Amino acid sequence: MHARGVAPRFQRWGWGAFFRPPCRVLLLVPCVAQTACASLATQAERRGGDAVTQWTLIGDCYGNGAANWRTLAIMQMAMHDALNAASPVYRRWSPPESGEPVADGANPEVAMAAAAEEALVLLHPDREKDTEAAFATVMARYPDDASKTAGERLGWWIGRAAVSRRVRDGVNEEHYFQGDSAPGRWRPTPNSFATSRTNDIRPFLFTSVSEVPSEPPPMLGTPIYLKQLDETRRTGSVDSVERNPEETTDALFWAYQSGQRGFVQLAVRLFAEHPSRGGVHAEARTMAALTTALADSAILTWNEKAKYSFWRPITAIRADRANASWTPLIETPPFPEYPSGHATDCHVGAGVLEGAFPDLAGPIVYLSSAHLDPLDGRALPADVTTYGMGQHAQPVLSQAPGGSALRFPSLTAAADNCANSRIWAGAHFRAAETESLRLAGLIVRRALSATPPVQAIDSVASQRSW
């Protein structure tokens, strides 16, 4: 379907010469039936999606239950840049490339939507008809005039450029975590004895992973290591008498959901409930900051997991013959322990949203992604051993323990609970949570400062006429 009356996308852009589709994490039912794909934008609106976040929900849907962090980061950056190319309020993530269409007269919101559409079609070519139908639904809201045509042309260009910059970003350079029998080193754990895929993707907010300093886990046998080993042994076992019922519920709640998806979904709801004074510009900026930060949460956390390859509590605790039958509350994830992916994701998500909503008062209701109804009403879970960078267990909806929502007095409280839950679950040591908090701070500060204002929001808001 080419409703725009132009040549097919790959022919138009010469894209086939260098496009490589991204790694697919899960093998699942397509997000929407092509005969009903026009309803995807409408479904997103019904869930609180607006000019910005309707595309966020569609991009999340295309992950088919997995955290679609790479697609969301690329798409939201393109949307921000297209909007600010047509109506400059914040600095762009990337400067204009040679040949970019003139922005004069372009409808900014049309440009933003066109950038989202272009990015999604290029990153998910199997969903092209779905995406173009959703785009047609959105475009029906705007009059067919010169500003719409200019906005489409500008947005398509910027969306294509955003994807082009990530074509050789290392996402396809996959390898598996390798086990090691040496003390302190990770190896596959009971009961599945599985391993997980990772890759060498470059970050979004940093030039390379080497730009980000890392701190190693405590050395074996040191007092701090022994103290933390004992903490997880006592509070993280399946039959712990020191973990209270509320902590058990919280551990199960966080274990079987994705903070990557949960905080994106929370952002959509917060913008619906608390519209930003800065309007669409502030919202597009926040969603780009959030999704790039969450992408780097996955990238940098998994890089450190590979670098230190630290053993999991079940391996460390059972190394003492007196604890040879020790069993954690949850099945141990099939990748190294340090740092914690859950904790980094939660601290990153909470940190960016605190920056966007500084006056937000609780309670904060966090919904488990394991209990979220798919945007299209159709999704199947992947095998629990099918992991990849930044991914977490997603059981069948009716089997996800821990409940569907938790309430917290603040975003920080939610993130702290998420981090502590990994110790209560028997999956991590305290040092992993500490490192995740440090790493998240670096990511959040970089994300929130990446696109500073170029002129006062109120001035632009008073002038806009689209």
Side-chain angles (χ1 to χ4, degrees):
M1 176 172 62
H2 304 288
R4 298 194 287 269
V6 291
R9 185 179 321 283
F10 297 143
Q11 177 182 335
R12 236 172 39 242
W13 301 123
W15 189 255
F18 58 89
F19 175 68
R20 292 187 298 173
C23 161
R24 298 307 306 276
V25 177
L26 307 177
L27 298 177
L28 302 171
V29 172
C31 187
V32 288
Q34 292 177 355
T35 57
C37 57
S39 67
L40 203 55
T42 302
Q43 290 294 336
E45 273 195 299
R46 291 173 180 170
R47 297 197 185 186
D50 55 25
V52 177
T53 57
Q54 63 188 345
W55 292 105
T56 309
L57 292 174
I58 293 171
D60 176 68
C61 175
Y62 284 4
N64 294 309
N68 204 14
W69 49 262
R70 181 174 179 267
T71 287
L72 286 175
I74 295 170
M75 181 192 73
Q76 300 281 180
M77 292 171 78
M79 291 173 67
H80 169 95
D81 282 3
L83 178 67
N84 285 278
S87 174
V89 172
Y90 295 105
R91 180 187 297 170
R92 291 170 58 167
W93 288 90
S94 301
E97 295 190 359
S98 176
E100 180 176 298
V102 175
D104 292 348
N107 183 311
E109 292 188 9
V110 168
M112 181 175 64
E117 185 223 17
E118 187 76 6
L120 287 179
V121 167
L122 294 175
L123 293 168
H124 295 273
D126 57 319
R127 308 289 173 84
E128 179 173 3
K129 291 184 178 180
D130 303 342
T131 302
E132 292 200 344
F135 182 68
T137 300
V138 173
M139 287 300 98
R141 303 166 189 163
Y142 301 95
D144 293 324
D145 56 18
S147 70
K148 181 177 181 179
T149 301
E152 290 176 330
R153 184 182 303 113
L154 178 65
W156 291 332
W157 180 279
I158 291 174
R160 176 182 63 88
V163 176
S164 175
R165 283 188 289 271
R166 300 294 303 190
V167 165
R168 296 178 179 85
D169 64 1
V171 71
N172 292 322
E173 297 172 15
E174 289 191 323
H175 48 90
Y176 284 81
F177 290 109
Q178 300 298 311
D180 189 327
S181 61
R185 302 290 290 178
W186 178 82
R187 74 231 35 193
T189 57
N191 294 316
S192 65
F193 293 97
T195 185
S196 172
R197 291 176 289 116
T198 187
N199 59 58
D200 297 325
I201 186 173
R202 72 173 185 270
F204 284 81
L205 297 168
F206 303 88
T207 55
S208 69
V209 293
S210 63
E211 183 185 346
V212 184
S214 63
E215 297 288 341
M219 293 182 62
L220 302 187
T222 60
I224 188 172
Y225 170 78
L226 295 175
K227 179 181 179 180
Q228 294 182 4
L229 179 74
D230 184 59
E231 178 189 24
T232 300
R233 181 188 62 79
R234 290 182 293 102
T235 63
S237 69
V238 67
D239 56 358
S240 172
V241 297
E242 297 191 25
R243 184 185 60 241
N244 64 47
E246 182 179 354
E247 291 168 343
T248 299
T249 297
D250 293 353
L252 295 173
F253 173 88
W254 290 107
Y256 298 104
Q257 65 85 54
S258 165
Q260 289 268 343
R261 296 191 64 217
F263 276 95
V264 166
Q265 295 277 343
L266 177 59
V268 173
R269 289 191 291 113
L270 288 178
F271 274 118
E273 297 166 3
H274 308 279
S276 172
R277 184 182 67 86
V280 66
H281 284 85
E283 190 172 333
R285 180 185 188 231
T286 295
M287 293 309 298
L290 177 63
T291 53
T292 54
L294 286 171
D296 276 8
S297 173
I299 294 167
L300 298 176
T301 298
W302 255 249
N303 176 72
E304 285 199 20
K305 285 180 180 291
K307 178 179 181 179
Y308 295 114
S309 194
F310 200 63
W311 59 4
R312 287 282 183 172
I314 189 171
T315 308
I317 294 170
R318 287 186 177 185
D320 179 353
R321 292 184 178 180
N323 298 304
S325 62
W326 184 89
T327 302
L329 176 64
I330 68 166
E331 178 83 6
T332 299
F335 37 78
E337 186 268 345
Y338 183 92
S340 164
H342 275 78
T344 313
D345 287 348
C346 289
H347 284 304
V348 164
V352 173
L353 292 182
E354 283 178 336
F357 299 94
D359 301 321
L360 184 65
I364 304 298
V365 179
Y366 182 95
L367 303 179
S368 167
S369 64
H371 288 266
L372 290 173
D373 291 331
L375 190 63
D376 61 339
R378 299 168 54 194
L380 296 174
D383 187 294
V384 295
T385 60
T386 306
Y387 285 81
M389 179 180 281
Q391 304 298 336
H392 301 291
Q394 295 286 292
V396 175
L397 184 65
S398 62
Q399 297 176 350
S404 60
L406 289 179
R407 296 168 67 90
F408 301 99
S410 67
L411 290 162
T412 296
D416 289 343
N417 183 264
C418 169
N420 287 327
S421 77
R422 305 307 286 161
I423 298 169
W424 303 331
H428 284 283
F429 301 114
R430 180 67 60 183
E433 318 311 326
T434 301
E435 173 65 359
S436 291
L437 178 60
R438 186 196 68 83
L439 192 60
L442 298 176
I443 295 169
V444 170
R445 286 191 292 273
R446 179 64 64 93
L448 292 178
S449 63
T451 54
V454 295
Q455 65 183 93
I457 293 175
D458 288 339
S459 174
V460 171
S462 66
Q463 297 172 19
R464 75 179 184 183
S465 59
W466 64 90

